[in-house]
Amino acid sequence: MNRLNPEHLMSLKSFDGLDPEDIVVGLGILFEHGRALGESKFIKKGLEMGADMDFEDFFLEQVQAFHFNMANGWSYLHGITGPKNHLEIEEFQTEELEQQIINLRLALSISDEFPADTRKSEVLTNLGNLFNTIGRFSESLKYYREALEITPGFGQTLANYSNTVFGYARILYDGGQQTYFLKNAYEGLGDALKGKLYDETRSNVKIMREHIASIFNNDELEYDYKENSFSLGETTEEVTYRNWVLKNVLFLNPMNDVTMESIAAHDCLLLPSLASKDDRPEFYQILFNQIKQEFATARYFYFQGIHPSMPHFSDKGNLQLDFSKGVNYSLAIEKLKIAFKTSYSIFDKIAYLLNDYLELGWNLKSVSFRRIWYSNTKGSGIRVLEKINETENWAFRGLFWLNKDFYEKSIPYLTSIAPESKELAEIRNYMEHKSINVISNSVEVPVDEGIESYWIKREDLEKKTLVLLQTVRAAMIYLSLGINLEEYKRPSEGPSIPIFPQVRDDKKKF
Protein backbone atom coordinates (compact mmCIF):
# COMPACT_ATOMS: atom_id res chain seq x y z
CA MET A 1 0.00 0.00 0.00
CA ASN A 2 1.27 3.46 -0.92
CA ARG A 3 1.39 5.29 2.39
CA LEU A 4 1.60 8.62 0.58
CA ASN A 5 -1.89 8.44 -0.88
CA PRO A 6 -4.31 11.23 0.20
CA GLU A 7 -6.54 8.96 2.31
CA HIS A 8 -3.66 7.59 4.36
CA LEU A 9 -2.13 11.04 4.82
CA MET A 10 -5.49 12.34 6.08
CA SER A 11 -5.51 9.63 8.74
CA LEU A 12 -2.17 10.77 10.23
CA LYS A 13 -2.00 13.07 13.25
CA SER A 14 1.41 14.41 12.22
CA PHE A 15 4.37 13.79 9.92
CA ASP A 16 6.30 12.09 12.75
CA GLY A 17 7.90 8.89 11.45
CA LEU A 18 8.18 10.07 7.84
CA ASP A 19 11.55 10.99 6.37
CA PRO A 20 12.06 14.52 4.99
CA GLU A 21 11.56 13.50 1.34
CA ASP A 22 8.25 11.79 2.13
CA ILE A 23 7.11 14.85 4.08
CA VAL A 24 7.82 17.13 1.12
CA VAL A 25 6.12 14.75 -1.34
CA GLY A 26 3.22 14.12 1.04
CA LEU A 27 2.51 17.84 1.35
CA GLY A 28 2.45 18.16 -2.43
CA ILE A 29 0.02 15.24 -2.75
CA LEU A 30 -2.41 16.65 -0.18
CA PHE A 31 -2.34 20.13 -1.67
CA GLU A 32 -2.71 19.04 -5.30
CA HIS A 33 -5.48 16.57 -4.41
CA GLY A 34 -7.38 19.27 -2.50
CA ARG A 35 -7.01 21.75 -5.35
CA ALA A 36 -8.19 19.22 -7.96
CA LEU A 37 -11.32 18.41 -5.93
CA GLY A 38 -11.89 21.94 -4.69
CA GLU A 39 -11.87 20.48 -1.15
CA SER A 40 -10.16 22.66 1.45
CA LYS A 41 -10.02 19.87 4.09
CA PHE A 42 -7.05 18.19 2.36
CA ILE A 43 -5.19 21.48 2.11
CA LYS A 44 -5.93 22.45 5.70
CA LYS A 45 -4.69 19.05 6.87
CA GLY A 46 -1.37 19.55 5.09
CA LEU A 47 -0.98 23.07 6.43
CA GLU A 48 -1.77 21.89 9.95
CA MET A 49 0.80 19.08 9.87
CA GLY A 50 3.39 21.32 8.19
CA ALA A 51 3.20 24.01 10.87
CA ASP A 52 6.25 24.37 13.16
CA MET A 53 8.26 21.77 11.24
CA ASP A 54 11.62 20.67 12.66
CA PHE A 55 14.19 20.75 9.82
CA GLU A 56 17.05 19.09 11.72
CA ASP A 57 17.28 16.10 9.31
CA PHE A 58 16.44 18.01 6.13
CA PHE A 59 18.85 18.90 3.34
CA LEU A 60 18.68 22.54 2.24
CA GLU A 61 16.99 21.57 -1.04
CA GLN A 62 14.30 19.75 0.94
CA VAL A 63 13.72 22.76 3.21
CA GLN A 64 13.36 24.94 0.12
CA ALA A 65 10.90 22.49 -1.45
CA PHE A 66 8.96 22.27 1.82
CA HIS A 67 8.43 26.06 1.98
CA PHE A 68 7.61 26.19 -1.73
CA ASN A 69 4.93 23.52 -1.22
CA MET A 70 3.56 25.28 1.87
CA ALA A 71 3.25 28.50 -0.14
CA ASN A 72 1.35 26.57 -2.81
CA GLY A 73 -0.93 25.11 -0.14
CA TRP A 74 -1.85 28.55 1.19
CA SER A 75 -2.36 29.72 -2.40
CA TYR A 76 -4.74 26.84 -3.16
CA LEU A 77 -6.66 27.48 0.05
CA HIS A 78 -6.98 31.14 -0.91
CA GLY A 79 -8.23 30.08 -4.33
CA ILE A 80 -11.00 28.01 -2.73
CA THR A 81 -12.01 30.33 0.13
CA GLY A 82 -11.09 33.77 -1.29
CA PRO A 83 -12.91 36.08 -3.70
CA LYS A 84 -14.28 34.29 -6.76
CA ASN A 85 -14.29 37.50 -8.82
CA HIS A 86 -10.78 38.80 -9.49
CA LEU A 87 -12.16 42.36 -9.38
CA GLU A 88 -13.52 41.89 -5.86
CA ILE A 89 -11.61 43.83 -3.23
CA GLU A 90 -10.75 41.69 -0.22
CA GLU A 91 -9.84 42.84 3.24
CA PHE A 92 -6.28 44.06 3.70
CA GLN A 93 -5.63 41.55 6.50
CA THR A 94 -5.44 38.18 4.70
CA GLU A 95 -3.70 35.26 6.41
CA GLU A 96 -3.45 33.18 3.22
CA LEU A 97 -1.49 35.93 1.46
CA GLU A 98 0.72 36.51 4.50
CA GLN A 99 1.66 32.85 4.74
CA GLN A 100 2.38 32.58 1.03
CA ILE A 101 4.82 35.49 1.24
CA ILE A 102 6.50 34.19 4.40
CA ASN A 103 7.07 30.73 2.94
CA LEU A 104 8.24 31.99 -0.45
CA ARG A 105 10.68 34.37 1.22
CA LEU A 106 12.04 31.51 3.33
CA ALA A 107 12.41 29.38 0.18
CA LEU A 108 14.20 32.27 -1.54
CA SER A 109 16.62 32.83 1.35
CA ILE A 110 17.58 29.15 1.19
CA SER A 111 18.00 29.37 -2.60
CA ASP A 112 20.93 31.74 -2.08
CA GLU A 113 22.90 28.83 -0.59
CA PHE A 114 23.17 26.92 -3.90
CA PRO A 115 23.27 27.73 -7.63
CA ALA A 116 20.19 29.35 -9.17
CA ASP A 117 17.82 26.87 -10.81
CA THR A 118 14.30 26.65 -12.19
CA ARG A 119 12.85 26.30 -8.69
CA LYS A 120 14.38 29.64 -7.65
CA SER A 121 12.93 31.23 -10.78
CA GLU A 122 9.50 29.87 -9.83
CA VAL A 123 9.83 31.24 -6.30
CA LEU A 124 10.79 34.68 -7.64
CA THR A 125 7.94 34.68 -10.17
CA ASN A 126 5.40 33.70 -7.51
CA LEU A 127 6.69 36.45 -5.22
CA GLY A 128 6.34 38.90 -8.10
CA ASN A 129 2.74 37.80 -8.62
CA LEU A 130 1.93 38.14 -4.91
CA PHE A 131 3.57 41.53 -4.51
CA ASN A 132 1.60 42.82 -7.48
CA THR A 133 -1.61 41.48 -5.90
CA ILE A 134 -0.99 43.27 -2.60
CA GLY A 135 -0.10 46.57 -4.24
CA ARG A 136 3.68 46.38 -3.91
CA PHE A 137 4.01 46.68 -7.68
CA SER A 138 7.36 48.47 -7.70
CA GLU A 139 8.99 45.65 -5.73
CA SER A 140 7.24 42.94 -7.75
CA LEU A 141 9.14 44.04 -10.88
CA LYS A 142 12.43 43.37 -9.07
CA TYR A 143 11.40 39.75 -8.47
CA TYR A 144 10.40 39.31 -12.11
CA ARG A 145 13.72 40.76 -13.31
CA GLU A 146 15.67 38.35 -11.10
CA ALA A 147 13.57 35.42 -12.34
CA LEU A 148 14.22 36.36 -15.97
CA GLU A 149 17.96 36.47 -15.30
CA ILE A 150 17.71 32.77 -14.40
CA THR A 151 15.25 31.75 -17.15
CA PRO A 152 15.52 34.39 -19.91
CA GLY A 153 12.57 34.62 -22.25
CA PHE A 154 10.25 32.55 -20.03
CA GLY A 155 6.80 33.45 -21.37
CA GLN A 156 4.77 33.24 -18.18
CA THR A 157 7.15 35.50 -16.23
CA LEU A 158 7.30 38.00 -19.11
CA ALA A 159 3.50 38.06 -19.25
CA ASN A 160 3.21 38.69 -15.51
CA TYR A 161 5.94 41.35 -15.63
CA SER A 162 4.19 43.17 -18.49
CA ASN A 163 0.81 42.92 -16.77
CA THR A 164 2.32 44.60 -13.69
CA VAL A 165 3.90 47.35 -15.82
CA PHE A 166 0.51 47.93 -17.45
CA GLY A 167 -1.21 48.27 -14.07
CA TYR A 168 1.60 50.52 -12.82
CA ALA A 169 1.15 52.77 -15.88
CA ARG A 170 -2.54 53.25 -15.15
CA ILE A 171 -1.88 55.01 -11.83
CA LEU A 172 1.02 57.22 -12.95
CA TYR A 173 0.04 60.88 -13.13
CA ASP A 174 2.91 61.97 -15.39
CA GLY A 175 1.76 61.56 -18.99
CA GLY A 176 5.27 61.03 -20.38
CA GLN A 177 6.06 58.31 -17.86
CA GLN A 178 2.69 56.67 -18.48
CA THR A 179 3.35 56.47 -22.23
CA TYR A 180 6.82 55.05 -21.63
CA PHE A 181 5.42 52.35 -19.31
CA LEU A 182 2.68 51.35 -21.75
CA LYS A 183 5.25 51.04 -24.54
CA ASN A 184 7.39 48.88 -22.25
CA ALA A 185 4.37 46.69 -21.43
CA TYR A 186 3.49 46.38 -25.13
CA GLU A 187 7.00 45.21 -26.01
CA GLY A 188 7.12 42.81 -23.05
CA LEU A 189 3.79 41.25 -24.04
CA GLY A 190 5.17 40.74 -27.54
CA ASP A 191 8.20 38.94 -26.10
CA ALA A 192 5.92 36.82 -23.91
CA LEU A 193 4.00 35.59 -26.97
CA LYS A 194 7.27 34.17 -28.31
CA GLY A 195 7.60 31.89 -25.27
CA LYS A 196 5.55 29.08 -23.75
CA LEU A 197 2.24 30.20 -22.26
CA TYR A 198 -0.93 28.58 -20.99
CA ASP A 199 -3.74 28.95 -23.54
CA GLU A 200 -5.73 31.27 -21.26
CA THR A 201 -2.65 33.41 -20.58
CA ARG A 202 -1.83 33.63 -24.27
CA SER A 203 -5.36 34.83 -25.02
CA ASN A 204 -5.20 37.45 -22.25
CA VAL A 205 -1.79 38.65 -23.44
CA LYS A 206 -3.10 39.18 -26.96
CA ILE A 207 -6.13 41.09 -25.68
CA MET A 208 -4.00 43.37 -23.49
CA ARG A 209 -1.52 44.01 -26.29
CA GLU A 210 -4.31 44.89 -28.70
CA HIS A 211 -5.78 47.23 -26.08
CA ILE A 212 -2.47 49.11 -25.72
CA ALA A 213 -2.14 49.28 -29.52
CA SER A 214 -5.61 50.84 -29.73
CA ILE A 215 -4.48 53.71 -27.47
CA PHE A 216 -1.51 54.68 -29.63
CA ASN A 217 -0.65 54.86 -33.29
CA ASN A 218 2.31 52.95 -34.71
CA ASP A 219 4.61 55.97 -34.61
CA GLU A 220 4.07 56.35 -30.87
CA LEU A 221 4.66 52.65 -30.20
CA GLU A 222 7.86 52.70 -32.26
CA TYR A 223 9.13 56.03 -30.91
CA ASP A 224 12.83 55.94 -29.98
CA TYR A 225 13.29 57.56 -26.58
CA LYS A 226 17.11 57.46 -26.95
CA GLU A 227 17.14 56.08 -23.43
CA ASN A 228 20.89 56.17 -22.93
CA SER A 229 21.52 59.63 -24.37
CA PHE A 230 20.83 61.65 -21.22
CA SER A 231 23.66 63.18 -19.21
CA LEU A 232 24.82 61.38 -16.08
CA GLY A 233 26.94 64.27 -14.84
CA GLU A 234 29.99 66.39 -15.47
CA THR A 235 32.63 64.39 -13.60
CA THR A 236 33.76 60.77 -13.58
CA GLU A 237 32.78 60.54 -9.92
CA GLU A 238 29.22 61.72 -10.60
CA VAL A 239 28.77 59.44 -13.62
CA THR A 240 30.01 56.46 -11.61
CA TYR A 241 27.61 57.26 -8.78
CA ARG A 242 24.57 57.72 -11.04
CA ASN A 243 25.29 54.52 -12.93
CA TRP A 244 25.44 52.70 -9.58
CA VAL A 245 22.10 54.22 -8.53
CA LEU A 246 20.49 53.12 -11.81
CA LYS A 247 21.86 49.59 -11.52
CA ASN A 248 20.52 49.22 -7.97
CA VAL A 249 17.14 50.80 -8.87
CA LEU A 250 17.47 53.60 -6.32
CA PHE A 251 16.41 56.70 -8.24
CA LEU A 252 13.22 58.30 -6.94
CA ASN A 253 11.74 57.87 -10.37
CA PRO A 254 9.19 55.19 -11.34
CA MET A 255 10.97 54.79 -14.69
CA ASN A 256 13.94 53.22 -12.90
CA ASP A 257 11.65 50.25 -12.22
CA VAL A 258 11.52 49.44 -15.94
CA THR A 259 14.86 50.71 -17.25
CA MET A 260 18.43 51.19 -16.09
CA GLU A 261 19.28 53.59 -18.90
CA SER A 262 20.13 57.26 -18.28
CA ILE A 263 16.58 58.40 -19.11
CA ALA A 264 15.66 57.39 -15.54
CA ALA A 265 18.68 58.96 -13.84
CA HIS A 266 17.01 61.76 -11.88
CA ASP A 267 14.91 62.00 -8.73
CA CYS A 268 11.73 63.44 -10.25
CA LEU A 269 9.24 61.84 -7.83
CA LEU A 270 6.99 64.41 -6.16
CA LEU A 271 3.63 64.48 -4.46
CA PRO A 272 0.89 65.32 -6.97
CA SER A 273 -0.52 68.81 -7.16
CA LEU A 274 -2.87 69.28 -4.21
CA ALA A 275 -5.62 71.86 -3.84
CA SER A 276 -7.18 72.91 -0.56
CA LYS A 277 -8.63 75.83 1.36
CA ASP A 278 -6.06 75.51 4.13
CA ASP A 279 -2.30 75.16 4.30
CA ARG A 280 -2.18 71.37 4.64
CA PRO A 281 -1.01 70.70 1.03
CA GLU A 282 1.96 72.98 1.60
CA PHE A 283 2.77 71.08 4.81
CA TYR A 284 2.68 67.76 2.94
CA GLN A 285 4.91 69.05 0.16
CA ILE A 286 7.45 70.47 2.62
CA LEU A 287 7.55 67.19 4.56
CA PHE A 288 7.98 65.23 1.34
CA ASN A 289 10.89 67.50 0.38
CA GLN A 290 12.54 66.60 3.68
CA ILE A 291 11.90 62.88 3.17
CA LYS A 292 13.41 63.05 -0.32
CA GLN A 293 16.50 64.88 0.94
CA GLU A 294 17.04 62.40 3.76
CA PHE A 295 16.74 59.51 1.32
CA ALA A 296 19.13 61.07 -1.21
CA THR A 297 21.66 61.72 1.57
CA ALA A 298 21.35 58.18 2.97
CA ARG A 299 21.76 56.76 -0.53
CA TYR A 300 24.95 58.72 -1.18
CA PHE A 301 26.39 57.98 2.26
CA TYR A 302 25.75 54.29 1.60
CA PHE A 303 27.54 54.55 -1.76
CA GLN A 304 30.53 56.18 -0.09
CA GLY A 305 30.46 53.65 2.74
CA ILE A 306 30.80 50.68 0.38
CA HIS A 307 33.38 52.40 -1.87
CA PRO A 308 36.04 53.84 0.46
CA SER A 309 39.06 54.64 -1.70
CA MET A 310 41.44 55.15 1.23
CA PRO A 311 41.41 56.03 4.92
CA HIS A 312 39.77 59.44 5.28
CA PHE A 313 41.79 62.31 6.71
CA SER A 314 39.17 62.83 9.44
CA ASP A 315 40.15 59.41 10.84
CA LYS A 316 43.84 60.31 11.10
CA GLY A 317 45.02 60.83 14.65
CA ASN A 318 41.84 59.33 16.13
CA LEU A 319 43.66 57.19 18.72
CA GLN A 320 41.97 53.80 19.26
CA LEU A 321 43.01 50.59 21.01
CA ASP A 322 43.15 47.39 18.94
CA PHE A 323 41.85 44.26 20.71
CA SER A 324 42.28 42.08 17.57
CA LYS A 325 38.64 41.07 17.37
CA GLY A 326 38.29 42.33 13.81
CA VAL A 327 36.14 45.33 14.79
CA ASN A 328 36.41 48.19 12.28
CA TYR A 329 36.02 51.90 13.01
CA SER A 330 36.06 54.48 10.22
CA LEU A 331 34.12 57.29 8.59
CA ALA A 332 33.01 54.85 5.87
CA ILE A 333 31.43 52.52 8.45
CA GLU A 334 29.74 55.41 10.22
CA LYS A 335 28.26 56.46 6.87
CA LEU A 336 26.84 52.94 6.50
CA LYS A 337 25.27 53.24 9.94
CA ILE A 338 23.85 56.69 9.14
CA ALA A 339 22.39 55.35 5.89
CA PHE A 340 20.73 52.48 7.81
CA LYS A 341 19.32 54.67 10.60
CA THR A 342 18.14 57.42 8.26
CA SER A 343 16.41 54.97 5.94
CA TYR A 344 14.66 53.26 8.83
CA SER A 345 13.45 56.58 10.27
CA ILE A 346 11.85 57.70 7.00
CA PHE A 347 9.03 55.18 7.43
CA ASP A 348 7.76 56.98 10.55
CA LYS A 349 7.80 60.28 8.65
CA ILE A 350 5.65 58.65 5.96
CA ALA A 351 3.30 57.51 8.73
CA TYR A 352 3.20 61.05 10.13
CA LEU A 353 2.13 62.42 6.74
CA LEU A 354 -0.42 59.66 6.14
CA ASN A 355 -1.96 59.98 9.59
CA ASP A 356 -2.74 63.63 8.87
CA TYR A 357 -3.71 63.22 5.21
CA LEU A 358 -6.10 60.29 5.79
CA GLU A 359 -7.27 61.67 9.15
CA LEU A 360 -6.57 58.36 10.90
CA GLY A 361 -6.86 59.93 14.35
CA TRP A 362 -3.57 58.86 15.91
CA ASN A 363 -1.99 61.10 18.53
CA LEU A 364 1.22 62.57 17.11
CA LYS A 365 3.26 61.05 19.95
CA SER A 366 1.97 57.56 19.07
CA VAL A 367 2.44 57.65 15.29
CA SER A 368 4.63 54.94 13.78
CA PHE A 369 4.63 53.24 10.40
CA ARG A 370 3.90 49.87 11.98
CA ARG A 371 1.03 51.15 14.10
CA ILE A 372 -1.11 53.66 12.18
CA TRP A 373 -3.03 51.10 10.10
CA TYR A 374 -4.75 49.49 13.07
CA SER A 375 -7.44 50.47 15.53
CA ASN A 376 -6.16 52.35 18.59
CA THR A 377 -9.38 51.69 20.53
CA LYS A 378 -8.78 49.71 23.71
CA GLY A 379 -10.42 46.31 23.73
CA SER A 380 -11.03 46.25 19.98
CA GLY A 381 -8.33 43.65 19.32
CA ILE A 382 -6.11 43.56 16.23
CA ARG A 383 -8.31 45.27 13.67
CA VAL A 384 -7.47 47.22 10.54
CA LEU A 385 -8.98 50.70 10.58
CA GLU A 386 -12.17 50.97 8.51
CA LYS A 387 -10.71 53.95 6.61
CA ILE A 388 -7.89 51.67 5.50
CA ASN A 389 -9.90 48.50 4.95
CA GLU A 390 -12.48 50.19 2.76
CA THR A 391 -10.10 51.96 0.41
CA GLU A 392 -9.72 50.65 -3.12
CA ASN A 393 -6.39 52.45 -3.38
CA TRP A 394 -3.89 49.97 -4.84
CA ALA A 395 -0.84 52.03 -3.83
CA PHE A 396 -2.01 52.49 -0.23
CA ARG A 397 -2.69 48.76 -0.15
CA GLY A 398 0.99 48.35 -1.01
CA LEU A 399 2.02 50.66 1.83
CA PHE A 400 -0.17 48.71 4.25
CA TRP A 401 1.46 45.42 3.27
CA LEU A 402 4.90 47.01 3.36
CA ASN A 403 4.37 47.85 7.03
CA LYS A 404 4.19 44.09 7.65
CA ASP A 405 7.90 43.84 6.78
CA PHE A 406 8.74 45.50 10.09
CA TYR A 407 8.77 44.58 13.76
CA GLU A 408 8.01 46.91 16.64
CA LYS A 409 8.72 45.68 20.15
CA SER A 410 5.82 47.61 21.68
CA ILE A 411 3.30 45.81 19.45
CA PRO A 412 4.66 42.24 19.13
CA TYR A 413 1.19 40.82 18.47
CA LEU A 414 1.33 42.21 14.93
CA THR A 415 2.87 39.47 12.81
CA SER A 416 5.60 40.23 10.29
CA ILE A 417 5.92 38.69 6.82
CA ALA A 418 9.69 39.32 6.63
CA PRO A 419 11.92 36.70 8.29
CA GLU A 420 14.56 39.36 9.11
CA SER A 421 12.20 42.00 10.52
CA LYS A 422 13.08 41.43 14.18
CA GLU A 423 16.80 41.41 13.40
CA LEU A 424 16.56 44.74 11.54
CA ALA A 425 14.70 46.31 14.46
CA GLU A 426 17.37 44.99 16.84
CA ILE A 427 20.19 46.39 14.70
CA ARG A 428 18.51 49.79 14.65
CA ASN A 429 18.04 49.72 18.42
CA TYR A 430 21.71 48.89 19.02
CA MET A 431 22.82 51.60 16.60
CA GLU A 432 20.68 54.22 18.28
CA HIS A 433 21.07 53.32 21.94
CA LYS A 434 23.82 50.76 22.56
CA SER A 435 26.87 49.35 20.82
CA ILE A 436 27.16 47.76 17.39
CA ASN A 437 30.46 46.22 16.32
CA VAL A 438 31.07 45.99 12.57
CA ILE A 439 33.68 43.32 11.93
CA SER A 440 35.68 42.27 8.88
CA ASN A 441 34.06 39.77 6.54
CA SER A 442 36.84 37.24 7.19
CA VAL A 443 36.31 37.27 10.98
CA GLU A 444 33.83 34.99 12.73
CA VAL A 445 31.20 36.61 14.92
CA PRO A 446 32.27 36.06 18.56
CA VAL A 447 30.21 33.58 20.56
CA ASP A 448 30.33 35.88 23.56
CA GLU A 449 28.81 39.12 22.23
CA GLY A 450 29.73 41.10 25.31
CA ILE A 451 27.66 43.56 27.29
CA GLU A 452 24.90 45.16 25.23
CA SER A 453 26.83 44.84 21.96
CA TYR A 454 25.66 43.64 18.57
CA TRP A 455 28.20 42.04 16.24
CA ILE A 456 27.69 42.09 12.48
CA LYS A 457 29.91 41.47 9.47
CA ARG A 458 30.45 44.47 7.23
CA GLU A 459 29.14 42.57 4.20
CA ASP A 460 25.91 41.72 6.03
CA LEU A 461 25.39 45.33 7.11
CA GLU A 462 25.91 46.48 3.52
CA LYS A 463 23.35 43.98 2.17
CA LYS A 464 20.72 44.81 4.79
CA THR A 465 21.13 48.56 4.29
CA LEU A 466 20.77 48.24 0.51
CA VAL A 467 17.51 46.29 0.90
CA LEU A 468 16.30 48.92 3.36
CA LEU A 469 17.08 51.73 0.90
CA GLN A 470 15.22 49.92 -1.89
CA THR A 471 12.23 49.36 0.39
CA VAL A 472 12.14 53.04 1.40
CA ARG A 473 12.20 54.05 -2.27
CA ALA A 474 9.24 51.77 -3.00
CA ALA A 475 7.32 53.20 -0.02
CA MET A 476 7.83 56.74 -1.30
CA ILE A 477 6.50 55.76 -4.73
CA TYR A 478 3.42 54.15 -3.16
CA LEU A 479 2.88 57.25 -1.03
CA SER A 480 3.02 59.63 -3.98
CA LEU A 481 0.82 57.57 -6.30
CA GLY A 482 -1.56 56.67 -3.48
CA ILE A 483 -2.19 60.31 -2.64
CA ASN A 484 -2.80 61.01 -6.31
CA LEU A 485 -5.44 58.25 -6.43
CA GLU A 486 -7.11 59.68 -3.33
CA GLU A 487 -7.20 63.18 -4.81
CA TYR A 488 -9.15 61.84 -7.80
CA LYS A 489 -11.70 60.24 -5.49
CA ARG A 490 -12.27 63.18 -3.15
CA PRO A 491 -15.35 65.27 -3.92
CA SER A 492 -14.92 68.98 -4.57
CA GLU A 493 -15.89 71.16 -1.62
CA GLY A 494 -16.18 74.42 -3.49
CA PRO A 495 -13.49 76.79 -4.73
CA SER A 496 -9.96 76.08 -3.63
CA ILE A 497 -6.57 77.42 -4.54
CA PRO A 498 -4.13 74.96 -6.14
CA ILE A 499 -0.49 75.35 -5.13
CA PHE A 500 2.12 75.71 -7.86
CA PRO A 501 5.43 76.28 -6.07
CA GLN A 502 8.63 77.02 -7.96
CA VAL A 503 11.21 74.29 -8.38
CA ARG A 504 14.31 74.90 -6.25
CA ASP A 505 17.49 75.73 -8.14
CA ASP A 506 20.17 73.03 -7.69
CA LYS A 507 22.79 75.79 -7.48
CA LYS A 508 21.22 77.00 -4.22
CA LYS A 509 21.60 73.62 -2.49
CA PHE A 510 24.65 74.20 -0.29
Side-chain angles (χ1 to χ4, degrees):
M1 174 183 174
N2 179 11
R3 61 178 180 168
L4 294 183
N5 66 75
E7 289 72 23
H8 177 67
L9 290 168
M10 288 292 287
S11 70
L12 300 177
K13 290 185 178 180
S14 71
F15 281 128
D16 290 348
L18 295 183
D19 62 44
E21 190 62 28
D22 282 348
I23 292 172
V24 172
V25 173
L27 276 177
I29 289 172
L30 281 173
F31 295 152
E32 294 299 334
H33 188 69
R35 181 175 72 154
L37 296 179
E39 289 279 355
S40 62
K41 64 180 181 181
F42 294 97
I43 299 172
K44 289 180 178 178
K45 180 69 173 180
L47 294 174
E48 179 186 340
M49 291 198 296
D52 301 319
M53 181 61 60
D54 181 0
F55 298 112
E56 184 178 356
D57 297 324
F58 282 61
F59 294 115
L60 279 179
E61 289 86 347
Q62 292 170 329
V63 179
Q64 182 203 44
F66 173 88
H67 286 301
F68 183 74
N69 282 351
M70 287 290 284
N72 284 341
W74 284 105
S75 174
Y76 299 160
L77 181 63
H78 191 225
I80 294 172
T81 62
K84 299 299 181 285
N85 182 343
H86 74 284
L87 296 177
E88 183 179 344
I89 302 296
E90 39 183 339
E91 290 191 353
F92 276 30
Q93 192 88 340
T94 309
E95 183 185 12
E96 291 86 354
L97 292 176
E98 285 186 359
Q99 292 298 327
Q100 286 179 67
I101 294 171
I102 290 170
N103 278 283
L104 285 172
R105 279 176 155 175
L106 288 169
L108 182 61
S109 66
I110 294 164
S111 299
D112 294 336
E113 301 296 326
F114 41 84
D117 57 7
T118 304
R119 171 58 59 77
K120 183 175 183 178
S121 179
E122 291 176 329
V123 170
L124 288 164
T125 298
N126 288 353
L127 275 168
N129 298 340
L130 276 170
F131 271 56
N132 184 41
T133 297
I134 63 177
R136 295 177 67 171
F137 43 89
S138 172
E139 296 155 285
S140 74
L141 295 176
K142 176 177 180 289
Y143 287 122
Y144 290 137
R145 283 194 301 271
E146 292 179 5
L148 289 169
E149 288 176 5
I150 300 171
T151 52
F154 186 61
Q156 198 65 39
T157 303
L158 280 167
N160 294 341
Y161 169 90
S162 302
N163 177 61
T164 301
V165 173
F166 177 76
Y168 198 157
R170 293 178 65 185
I171 65 170
L172 290 171
Y173 52 85
D174 181 285
Q177 290 184 352
Q178 193 171 61
T179 301
Y180 185 88
F181 268 65
L182 290 172
K183 183 175 185 292
N184 184 279
Y186 180 83
E187 293 171 350
L189 292 167
D191 292 337
L193 290 171
K194 299 173 186 177
K196 293 182 179 180
L197 294 170
Y198 298 118
D199 291 341
E200 182 180 1
T201 303
R202 184 172 293 275
S203 175
N204 291 336
V205 165
K206 288 180 178 178
I207 292 171
M208 187 180 295
R209 198 163 189 264
E210 289 170 1
H211 173 65
I212 296 174
S214 70
I215 301 173
F216 304 102
N217 58 45
N218 288 335
D219 289 341
E220 289 173 311
L221 285 174
E222 295 174 5
Y223 179 75
D224 183 6
Y225 281 88
K226 296 183 174 59
E227 298 170 296
N228 62 352
S229 63
F230 296 80
S231 173
L232 287 174
E234 301 174 357
T235 65
T236 301
E237 181 183 12
E238 185 179 358
V239 171
T240 300
Y241 170 64
R242 293 188 176 278
N243 269 319
W244 174 85
V245 176
L246 280 169
K247 179 182 176 182
N248 287 279
V249 191
L250 283 172
F251 272 111
L252 292 173
N253 184 343
M255 290 177 69
N256 199 187
D257 281 321
V258 293
T259 183
M260 295 180 189
E261 300 292 352
S262 59
I263 192 174
H266 55 293
D267 296 311
C268 61
L269 183 72
L270 296 169
L271 293 186
S273 179
L274 303 170
S276 176
K277 296 176 182 178
D278 56 31
D279 63 353
R280 305 316 287 167
E282 183 175 323
F283 159 75
Y284 302 142
Q285 300 286 7
I286 291 172
L287 179 55
F288 195 73
N289 278 349
Q290 178 183 335
I291 291 172
K292 280 192 69 175
Q293 185 60 56
E294 289 184 8
F295 174 82
T297 301
R299 182 181 63 192
Y300 185 60
F301 274 20
Y302 175 80
F303 174 78
Q304 290 187 315
I306 64 172
H307 295 110
S309 57
M310 61 183 70
H312 195 265
F313 66 80
S314 66
D315 287 327
K316 292 180 179 178
N318 181 13
L319 187 65
Q320 296 169 345
L321 301 180
D322 189 351
F323 292 96
S324 301
K325 291 181 178 289
V327 183
N328 294 321
Y329 305 96
S330 69
L331 177 63
I333 287 177
E334 292 309 309
K335 285 182 175 180
L336 280 177
K337 294 179 185 178
I338 291 170
F340 186 99
K341 290 187 290 184
T342 302
S343 298
Y344 209 114
S345 70
I346 286 175
F347 290 106
D348 284 344
K349 293 182 176 67
I350 290 174
Y352 179 54
L353 195 159
L354 273 176
N355 180 60
D356 192 279
Y357 178 78
L358 293 176
E359 298 179 350
L360 299 179
W362 278 94
N363 183 290
L364 296 184
K365 294 181 180 180
S366 303
V367 168
S368 76
F369 187 67
R370 190 70 174 102
R371 186 190 302 268
I372 62 166
W373 313 94
Y374 304 93
S375 172
N376 59 355
T377 304
K378 291 183 179 180
S380 63
I382 306 171
R383 183 170 57 82
V384 179
L385 287 169
E386 288 302 316
K387 283 188 177 181
I388 299 299
N389 219 14
E390 292 176 356
T391 182
E392 297 181 4
N393 191 316
W394 190 35
F396 281 171
R397 183 179 177 86
L399 269 178
F400 169 80
W401 277 89
L402 195 148
N403 103 81
K404 292 173 175 285
D405 276 8
F406 294 91
Y407 169 84
E408 194 167 320
K409 188 176 181 180
S410 62
I411 42 177
Y413 48 82
L414 292 178
T415 58
S416 170
I417 60 173
E420 289 189 331
S421 62
K422 195 168 184 178
E423 182 185 6
L424 289 178
E426 190 176 15
I427 291 171
R428 185 201 189 191
N429 183 52
Y430 273 89
M431 281 185 181
E432 295 280 10
H433 307 294
K434 302 173 186 175
S435 166
I436 183 164
N437 298 319
V438 181
I439 60 177
S440 303
N441 298 328
S442 59
V443 177
E444 290 298 319
V445 176
V447 176
D448 179 11
E449 296 187 351
I451 300 174
E452 294 300 329
S453 291
Y454 190 97
W455 298 75
I456 186 170
K457 291 189 176 184
R458 184 169 185 160
E459 181 181 29
D460 291 337
L461 179 59
E462 290 176 358
K463 288 179 179 178
K464 294 179 192 303
T465 307
L466 177 59
V467 172
L468 198 54
L469 281 164
Q470 292 170 333
T471 306
V472 171
R473 171 189 177 271
M476 294 171 67
I477 289 174
Y478 304 148
L479 174 67
S480 172
L481 300 184
I483 288 178
N484 185 60
L485 289 174
E486 287 301 300
E487 289 297 304
Y488 273 113
K489 293 191 302 183
R490 291 187 171 188
S492 175
E493 298 179 355
S496 59
I497 302 174
I499 297 176
F500 299 107
Q502 293 183 340
V503 175
R504 291 195 70 214
D505 187 345
D506 284 346
K507 295 178 181 179
K508 296 181 179 178
K509 296 177 182 177
F510 57 87

